[in-house]
Amino acid sequence: MAGYYLGASNELLAAITDFSAWFFAWDDRHDRDVVHGRHRAWRRLCIRLHATIDDPHRRLEHPDPLVAALADCLVRLYSCLSGDWNGRFAGHFHPVVNAYDQEFRNRTGGTVPAVADYIELRRLTFAHRLWIDLLEATAGCELPAALHDHPAFQRAAVATQDFAAWYNDLCSLRKELAGGELHNLGISLMRHRGLTEQQAAVEIHRRVRQCVETFLAAEPDVLQLADHAAADATAEGTAYGAAVRSCLFNMRNWFSSVYWFHHHSGRYRVDSWEDRSSPPYIDDPKGRQ
């Protein structure tokens, strides 16, 4: 994660990396609850996560370590910018929990989403908006809506996140096919468009390249946006211009960081296992709650 958020203070970078690690732990808990059919435990966890997002201070000592860890991360992240930014971050986080819940229901019900539905769901389960919000925290500046929501800024930011999501799906495809998984862009392409595994991989490659092209096309417009923000020569305008440039710089870093990570993580070098209930990278053979 350090490559995603260059320029962040040591304290913020530690909070972001811990939050990223928490996401992997949550993703694995989600997978275990699906595989072991722990419907009530999953529902209980979703309720607790929603409550923690809104008021993390009250859940720092929660007996579920996953809940307490999220509370700790959010307390630190919520100390970076204003209450308005915190509210926006929380507003972007609740749909992520709901999307994970939708994936839980899809998987336990044996549903492979159609390609368009999967893309919409994946942008939530990958938490696109949260990682984009954290660019502002790294820059130390909360951008006004006119900048943060500007089509060029969003086009560049979403392209980097889509790249990460689709490259993750590409690297995970063989592993997830071997494990009987239902949620992967390649699996949706195979199920709903009749592609072979090889054809699906080629199509994901195409989409990954398109993300890079989209970003490169949007980048000059974002730089122009930064220049326009700084043109009024006020301290506020100068800060906004510098923040936009910081965000754009780290958007670029996502490409190389995502590529590097996926080729150094054991999570994506697994293409078979004997017991579906316990993938090799998870030590949970009895499905403990």
Side-chain angles (χ1 to χ4, degrees):
M1 296 301 290
Y4 293 10
Y5 297 104
L6 293 179
S9 68
N10 288 340
E11 293 79 8
L12 176 58
L13 189 57
I16 292 173
T17 53
D18 287 349
F19 183 56
S20 175
W22 178 87
F23 246 93
F24 281 105
W26 179 37
D27 191 69
D28 286 342
R29 171 82 74 87
H30 172 259
D31 187 63
R32 299 300 82 214
D33 283 352
V34 169
V35 170
H36 296 293
R38 301 190 295 228
H39 293 263
R40 283 187 294 180
W42 171 253
R43 170 48 42 195
R44 189 163 57 244
L45 177 61
C46 286
I47 293 170
R48 290 170 176 170
L49 294 182
H50 280 300
T52 303
I53 292 165
D54 287 332
D55 190 359
H57 287 277
R58 292 184 59 186
R59 289 157 183 87
L60 288 168
E61 304 298 329
H62 197 281
D64 185 334
L66 195 69
V67 175
L70 175 61
D72 176 71
C73 290
L74 290 179
V75 165
R76 288 185 283 160
L77 292 175
Y78 285 172
S79 70
C80 295
L81 294 175
S82 74
D84 288 341
W85 184 90
N86 295 349
R88 191 215 305 165
F89 190 86
H92 290 160
F93 204 160
H94 287 298
V96 173
V97 177
N98 292 336
Y100 262 84
D101 187 42
Q102 179 62 55
E103 182 174 326
F104 183 93
R105 286 181 274 122
N106 285 350
R107 290 179 62 186
T108 55
T111 299
V112 176
V115 174
D117 293 336
Y118 175 79
I119 289 173
E120 181 179 355
L121 186 66
R122 183 63 162 146
R123 284 174 172 163
L124 289 169
T125 59
F126 203 83
H128 280 26
R129 287 185 176 273
L130 298 185
W131 305 120
I132 294 169
D133 285 340
L134 288 170
L135 291 170
E136 292 171 78
T138 297
C141 181
E142 181 181 346
L143 295 174
L147 293 176
H148 179 271
D149 296 335
H150 192 281
F153 186 94
Q154 286 297 315
R155 192 160 55 248
V158 171
T160 65
Q161 289 298 297
D162 279 347
F163 173 89
W166 307 148
Y167 200 73
N168 178 274
D169 279 5
L170 180 64
C171 293
S172 301
L173 180 57
R174 184 166 296 176
K175 178 197 77 171
E176 292 181 350
L177 284 171
E181 178 57 271
L182 305 176
H183 279 70
N184 184 293
L185 178 57
I187 293 172
S188 287
L189 289 165
M190 293 167 69
R191 176 67 62 89
H192 294 285
R193 298 192 180 173
L195 274 58
T196 65
E197 179 184 344
Q198 182 177 3
Q199 289 170 333
V202 169
E203 173 60 15
I204 300 174
H205 267 291
R206 185 191 69 79
R207 290 172 184 256
V208 166
R209 288 195 303 271
Q210 188 175 54
C211 290
V212 178
E213 292 167 359
T214 298
F215 175 83
L216 292 174
E219 189 175 34
D221 294 333
V222 181
L223 288 171
Q224 187 175 20
L225 191 66
D227 290 342
H228 181 74
D232 64 8
T234 64
E236 187 177 63
T238 300
Y240 287 154
V244 170
R245 285 182 174 273
S246 169
C247 292
L248 183 66
F249 176 77
N250 278 316
M251 288 178 199
R252 262 187 167 263
N253 290 337
W254 267 324
F255 293 108
S256 59
S257 297
V258 165
Y259 182 85
W260 178 88
F261 169 75
H262 282 83
H263 289 276
H264 286 78
S265 172
R267 293 174 69 94
Y268 309 104
R269 292 198 295 270
V270 176
D271 58 16
S272 67
W273 53 74
E274 294 181 1
D275 181 5
R276 169 61 184 137
S277 70
S278 183
Y281 57 85
I282 299 177
D283 183 14
D284 184 21
K286 297 181 179 178
R288 293 184 293 272
Q289 298 211 31

